[in-house]
Amino acid sequence: MALHFSPAEFERRKQAALAAMARENLDALFLFQQESMFWLTGYDTFGFCFFQCLVLKADGRMALLTRSADYRQAQRTSTLEDIRVWKDSATANPALDLRAMAADLGLAGRRIGAEFESYGLVHSNGRKLEAAFDGFATLVDASTILTRLRAVKSAEEIAYVLEAARLSDAADKAAIDHLGPGADEGVILAAQHAAIFAAGGDYPANEFIIGSGGDALLCRYKSGRRRLDANDQITLEFAGTSRHYHAAIMRTHIVGAPKPLHRRYHEAAEEALHACQAAMKPGNPAGEVFAAHARTLDSHGLSAHRLNACGYSLGAKFTPSWMDWPMFFENNPWTLEPGMVMFAHMILMDSASETAMCLGRTYLIEENGARPINAPDLSLVIR
């Protein structure tokens, strides 16, 4: 078995989930988020791109419905014992298989919470799910129940987070070591991944961002590589990953002579990042962190160049994104708690001058505030 947590840890999580279900008067949970399945049982797969569902009953019983390709995956990576398979065919409707499993589990006529907000439950399957359970049981949206539980990390989880942070710093150094006029973006990207994999890390939940020249203003990965000019800028966003737990860094580096705007924007971004850190206190709403970001950058006259969000929670995430909840956006009431792992990014994109400046790192929320766990040196890198 490839389990990464102790039996006591898995039991703690299950009891927390059952308590949350009881508060919502739920007889069962239908879990479609891969993150929920991993958190609750250790089940580790990318097979969630197909229909699969983990059922958690109020009495603690669990059962997984999946495809044959993931049967042994579930056996070897999870605590699950009841693993059932729906058969691939031209006429397959796994929602009906789930209803049959639910009937076997005594869930007819019951109130069942479902994770409708899930990459693994595409709209067509969601419609089949609702049709299959119409008149059989009551389905209610329970998408945030485990998301909220996962947001606060245990000591066992934080150990993987700190390892991810170490890996992110190794990737940061690898990129900087390869910077210079004529440097190939592909070589830089390969060096970052090599540093992580060689040290025992995992694939991240989404692609690394890498863009130079005008593409340094992009906030997403795109295909295609270029070599850096004698005077250039390159934006990198990446994460160290350990057992699917992430710690991210975002930076814009300069090759050759920086523009005056690069220095001005970096100074503002660093000031804003420190303001966000000061706002990341237990009991504060997530929206207060965004307010610190906006207030600082706006005071520098940069409101037109900033984004409408400035970070999010990190944890054990699966493709297509390592972003988790809560996020830092305007008036988000989600309260910060000790044990949360938060990534704050200050992103400035000036399209008129094609000037980029990004600065971000990961924090662990502790009793007295936020502690940065990677990117200790925030200085502007010039090569």
Side-chain angles (χ1 to χ4, degrees):
M1 266 192 181
L3 294 175
H4 306 306
F5 298 98
S6 67
E9 173 70 2
F10 281 121
E11 182 62 22
R12 180 196 68 80
R13 297 177 187 182
K14 185 167 78 169
Q15 293 304 318
L18 294 175
M21 289 169 58
R23 289 192 292 270
E24 299 295 327
N25 297 313
L26 297 175
D27 298 301
L29 271 179
F30 284 178
L31 303 175
F32 294 99
Q33 294 182 24
Q34 183 57 42
E35 292 83 1
S36 296
M37 300 183 201
F38 179 78
W39 183 82
L40 194 60
T41 72
Y43 178 40
D44 191 349
T45 183
F46 60 69
F48 62 90
C49 57
F50 297 95
F51 187 101
Q52 62 176 6
C53 181
L54 174 60
V55 179
L56 171 64
K57 290 185 61 181
D59 62 6
R61 182 176 176 182
M62 293 188 288
L64 175 71
L65 179 67
T66 188
R67 298 171 66 240
S68 59
D70 280 299
Y71 179 77
R72 290 164 188 82
Q73 193 87 6
Q75 283 184 317
R76 293 190 62 83
T77 67
S78 80
T79 60
L80 290 164
E81 297 180 356
D82 189 348
I83 306 166
R84 310 187 193 193
V85 171
W86 63 268
K87 185 178 180 180
D88 297 277
S89 75
T91 60
N93 183 350
L96 295 177
D97 294 88
L98 180 59
R99 186 179 69 186
M101 187 171 86
D104 183 59
L105 294 172
L107 294 176
R110 300 295 186 174
R111 177 178 162 87
I112 302 171
E115 287 184 329
F116 290 123
E117 186 178 324
S118 170
Y119 305 132
L121 186 67
V122 297
H123 183 60
S124 59
N125 280 331
R127 292 181 64 182
K128 291 175 183 177
L129 175 71
E130 291 182 322
F133 280 81
D134 185 28
F136 175 83
T138 301
L139 294 181
V140 297
D141 191 349
S143 299
T144 64
I145 286 184
L146 261 62
T147 298
R148 286 188 171 274
L149 294 176
R150 290 190 301 100
V152 179
K153 278 47 173 193
S154 67
E156 290 189 29
E157 291 177 289
I158 289 171
Y160 290 129
V161 170
L162 295 178
E163 174 61 11
R166 185 186 72 82
L167 294 171
S168 70
D169 283 332
D172 190 26
K173 181 179 184 303
I176 293 171
D177 287 347
H178 284 82
L179 287 180
D184 189 312
E185 286 183 356
V187 172
I188 294 170
L189 191 60
Q192 288 191 299
H193 282 290
I196 291 169
F197 284 126
D202 295 321
Y203 283 106
N206 59 255
E207 299 88 345
F208 288 2
I209 293 171
I210 181 168
S212 58
D215 289 340
L217 279 71
L218 300 182
C219 294
R220 298 287 183 262
Y221 171 85
K222 69 167 191 63
S223 63
R225 302 283 175 265
R226 68 183 289 271
R227 290 183 179 272
L228 303 186
D229 293 334
N231 292 298
D232 216 328
Q233 58 184 355
I234 182 169
T235 294
L236 302 166
E237 185 184 48
F238 51 93
T241 312
S242 177
R243 305 304 191 271
H244 294 293
Y245 287 83
H246 294 71
I249 295 173
M250 191 172 194
R251 307 185 73 176
T252 300
H253 301 314
I254 307 303
V255 171
K259 303 176 187 178
L261 283 178
H262 281 132
R263 294 189 185 278
R264 177 189 161 202
Y265 289 179
H266 181 271
E267 180 181 347
E270 186 170 358
E271 182 182 336
L273 188 61
H274 287 307
C276 288
Q277 179 180 342
M280 274 187 256
K281 296 179 180 178
N284 278 358
E288 194 163 318
V289 179
F290 174 81
H293 150 268
R295 184 170 55 249
T296 304
L297 293 182
D298 292 0
S299 72
H300 286 267
L302 300 176
S303 59
H305 306 318
R306 63 170 173 82
L307 301 186
N308 294 323
C310 69
Y312 42 81
S313 176
L314 291 171
K317 286 287 291 179
F318 289 73
T319 50
S321 176
W322 65 51
M323 294 187 290
D324 211 345
W325 294 95
M327 299 186 74
F328 296 141
F329 53 73
E330 188 174 25
N331 297 326
N332 186 349
W334 194 319
T335 302
L336 300 179
E337 300 178 48
M340 287 184 172
V341 177
M342 305 300 300
F343 174 52
H345 56 63
M346 308 299 104
I347 297 177
L348 292 169
M349 303 299 190
D350 182 345
S351 296
S353 66
E354 288 204 338
T355 303
M357 186 49 61
C358 303
L359 192 63
R361 63 183 176 184
T362 302
Y363 297 84
L364 175 63
I365 309 296
E366 299 179 322
E367 293 292 340
N368 297 319
R371 172 168 65 93
I373 60 173
N374 58 7
D377 186 356
L378 298 176
S379 302
L380 180 61
V381 172
I382 303 172
R383 291 290 184 269

